Structures are given as structure tokens and as C-alpha cells.
Amino acid sequence: MENWKDYEDLFDPFEKLVEIEVEGRVLSVPENNNLLRCFQFISLESISMGDFCWNRDCANCQVWIEEGEAERPVLACRTRVEAGMKIVRKADEIQLIVD
């Protein structure tokens, strides 16, 4: 997000961006935020207009995180980002439009 400062009230306070991998693509996102906010940082319009409840009622933000040889399903609205996190699959509702 080039102009994230215009939307900084959307995000929890952060000092730097960390790299995560989403379906094979390395992306920079704000530390100290949940994954759904990080996805919003990557693709503001598609996530803002998406069908998400933001409080784990809908499960439309489910992603699968690689943990060793296994995958663990989590809800992006309830999971804090970690540097180096690998998201191997995501729900169809999560439409990331990356330049």
C-alpha cells in the first residue's frame, strides 16, 4: 500500500513491515497486526469491500499456515502476523489484488 499513512487508523501501531509468504508470493505487511488487516494493507479495496465479519463469526477469512510438514487452519481476523509466516492456502473470499 503506497499511501498507507492515509489509512493508518485502520492498523494497530507498527514500526516496520515484515515479510510473509502468501501462496508462494513474498509480501511486506505491518507487524503487530492480524492477518486480515495485513491483507487489507496489501489490497485495501478488495478486502475492505469483502464479505468479512472481522470477529470470527463467518470464517470467510480462513487461511492455512505451513507448520513443518503440516498445514494448520486459522482465521485471519484472529491470528497475528509473524515474520516468515507461510500461508499456503486461503479462502476464496480473500481476493488479494497485488500490483
Side-chain angles (χ1 to χ4, degrees):
M1 175 184 293
E2 291 180 22
N3 300 324
W4 69 266
K5 289 251 184 211
D6 295 339
Y7 304 97
E8 67 184 324
D9 58 327
L10 288 176
F11 307 105
D12 288 339
F14 67 95
E15 293 184 17
K16 65 180 180 176
L17 300 179
V18 296
E19 288 188 345
I20 63 171
E21 186 177 311
V22 180
E23 296 179 324
R25 188 167 190 170
V26 176
L27 302 167
S28 296
V29 297
E31 66 179 352
N32 301 324
N33 280 265
N34 69 44
L35 282 172
L36 195 52
R37 285 287 179 218
C38 291
F39 294 156
Q40 196 172 33
F41 183 86
I42 295 165
S43 187
L44 180 66
E45 190 171 322
S46 69
I47 299 300
S48 296
M49 303 304 269
D51 186 21
F52 304 108
C53 65
W54 297 86
N55 63 10
R56 82 177 149 182
D57 286 341
C58 72
N60 289 347
C61 66
Q62 188 168 17
V63 298
W64 288 261
I65 296 173
E66 182 179 283
E67 290 189 345
E69 299 286 322
E71 298 175 4
R72 178 173 58 103
V74 299
L75 295 178
C77 67
R78 294 306 225 184
T79 303
R80 286 274 179 200
V81 69
E82 295 179 17
M85 182 178 271
K86 280 186 159 184
I87 298 165
V88 293
R89 291 188 291 141
K90 58 182 178 46
D92 290 338
E93 290 81 5
I94 301 172
Q95 297 296 314
L96 296 180
I97 300 167
V98 182
D99 296 330

